[in-house]
Amino acid sequence: MVLHVVLGLLLLLIPAGALYFFDRKLMQSFGVAVGRMACQLLVLCLIVWALVKYDSVWLTLLWLVVLSVASALLVVRRVKMRISAFVPPVAAGLFAGALTVGCYLLGAVLPVTDWLGARWAVPVMALLVGHSMTTTIRGLSAYHSALKADEQQYEFLRGNGHDHLHALLPFVRRALQAVFAPTVANLTVMGLFTMPLLLCGILLGGVRPINAFVVTLMLTIGCLASSVISLMVTLWLADRLVFDKFGKQKETNE
């Protein structure tokens, strides 16, 4: 095992050699990035190993809560909103999307017998949270940018008799467009490059090719559904943080 790891690490000599000859300033950053990635991967593997070993539903749910909070922290930082205020609604949205779609996939769609077991629940829900995190960043950014840029449109709709929810519909539409526009554009690329990596991983796990195709397709669809649920729950829970009781926008940036 150690020999195989060493032989694999020797492949790093290729990019390191290219940097040495063409851009030595990047060598230190490259080394730090590779080391950080390896440490993060090691910690993640140890966590997954412990979850699979003890195979407890409560531990899996606790792990999903921690993963949702950590992902929400990254989302709020990227969108540059107040961390203390907006992490809870974003985390709740990510948790709701992953748990709802994950349980549906594992319990009703995928060919899984022990659908509450950590062996399937952990990787499936991690995939859903990861994809929802990236789409929530785009959706929240578009939503709050639209509110700040077109605040008069919101005031105009409210002044013409529309309630708070109907006045927000144009901005929610922009958030969904920010989520789906790049997703639709990248679906073909995902089918050619990204999803085959997941397919290969499932095949290496011993799943039959036809089952691997079904699992990959269903997980891709599940990621899209989870993203919508996460964004909608986040916007709903964060509404009181964005608007006061009179319908006026609050300051949301850090």
Side-chain angles (χ1 to χ4, degrees), residues 8 44 62 75-76 80 103 105 141 154 156 169 185 196:
L44 178 61
L62 177 61
V75 171
V76 175
K80 297 180 179 179
C103 289
L105 287 175
S141 297
Y154 171 80
F156 174 79
L169 288 181

Side-chain angles (χ1 to χ4, degrees), residues 107-235:
V109 178
L110 299 179
V112 179
T113 54
D114 184 20
W115 64 278
L116 287 177
R119 179 175 177 268
W120 278 93
V122 169
V124 167
M125 293 187 181
L127 179 66
L128 297 176
V129 171
H131 188 274
S132 299
M133 178 185 69
T134 57
T135 55
T136 300
I137 291 174
R138 293 198 297 264
L140 272 182
S141 297
Y143 180 76
H144 288 290
S145 297
L147 280 175
K148 290 183 179 297
D150 297 330
E151 184 178 0
Q152 292 181 351
Q153 181 183 5
Y154 171 80
E155 297 293 343
F156 174 79
L157 293 174
R158 289 301 306 272
N160 282 271
H162 291 80
D163 58 22
H164 177 67
L165 177 61
H166 285 84
L168 286 179
L169 288 181
F171 305 99
V172 175
R173 186 180 299 114
R174 295 190 195 182
L176 287 174
Q177 289 173 346
V179 169
F180 278 105
T183 300
V184 173
N186 293 331
L187 276 177
T188 303
V189 179
M190 290 173 62
L192 290 175
F193 300 103
T194 307
M195 284 301 115
L197 296 176
L198 177 60
L199 179 62
C200 290
I202 296 174
L203 288 172
L204 291 174
V207 179
R208 291 187 302 173
I210 186 62
N211 289 340
F213 161 74
V214 172
V215 170
T216 305
L217 179 63
M218 294 302 105
L219 287 178
T220 305
I221 297 173
C223 285
L224 301 178
S226 177
S227 299
V228 175
I229 294 175
S230 297
L231 180 61
M232 292 296 101
V233 172
T234 297
L235 294 180

Side-chain angles (χ1 to χ4, degrees), residues 19-140:
L19 289 176
Y20 179 80
F21 285 106
F22 295 104
D23 195 347
R24 297 184 183 180
K25 295 181 180 179
L26 286 178
M27 288 193 66
Q28 182 178 357
S29 299
F30 174 73
V32 172
V34 171
R36 184 180 300 170
M37 179 270 296
C39 292
Q40 292 174 346
L41 185 60
L42 177 61
V43 172
L44 178 61
C45 288
L46 291 175
I47 293 174
V48 173
W49 171 81
L51 290 171
V52 174
K53 178 178 175 61
Y54 292 103
D55 198 11
S56 169
V57 176
W58 298 111
L59 280 179
T60 302
L61 289 175
L62 177 61
W63 166 82
L64 182 59
V65 170
V66 173
L67 181 63
S68 299
V69 172
S71 301
L73 187 61
L74 293 176
V75 171
V76 175
R77 283 180 174 176
R78 287 289 299 274
V79 183
K80 297 180 179 179
M81 301 167 69
R82 294 199 310 274
I83 293 177
S84 59
F86 286 92
V87 165
V90 175
L94 294 174
F95 179 84
L99 185 64
T100 303
V101 177
C103 289
Y104 177 77
L105 287 175
L106 294 170
V109 178
L110 299 179
V112 179
T113 54
D114 184 20
W115 64 278
L116 287 177
R119 179 175 177 268
W120 278 93
V122 169
V124 167
M125 293 187 181
L127 179 66
L128 297 176
V129 171
H131 188 274
S132 299
M133 178 185 69
T134 57
T135 55
T136 300
I137 291 174
R138 293 198 297 264
L140 272 182

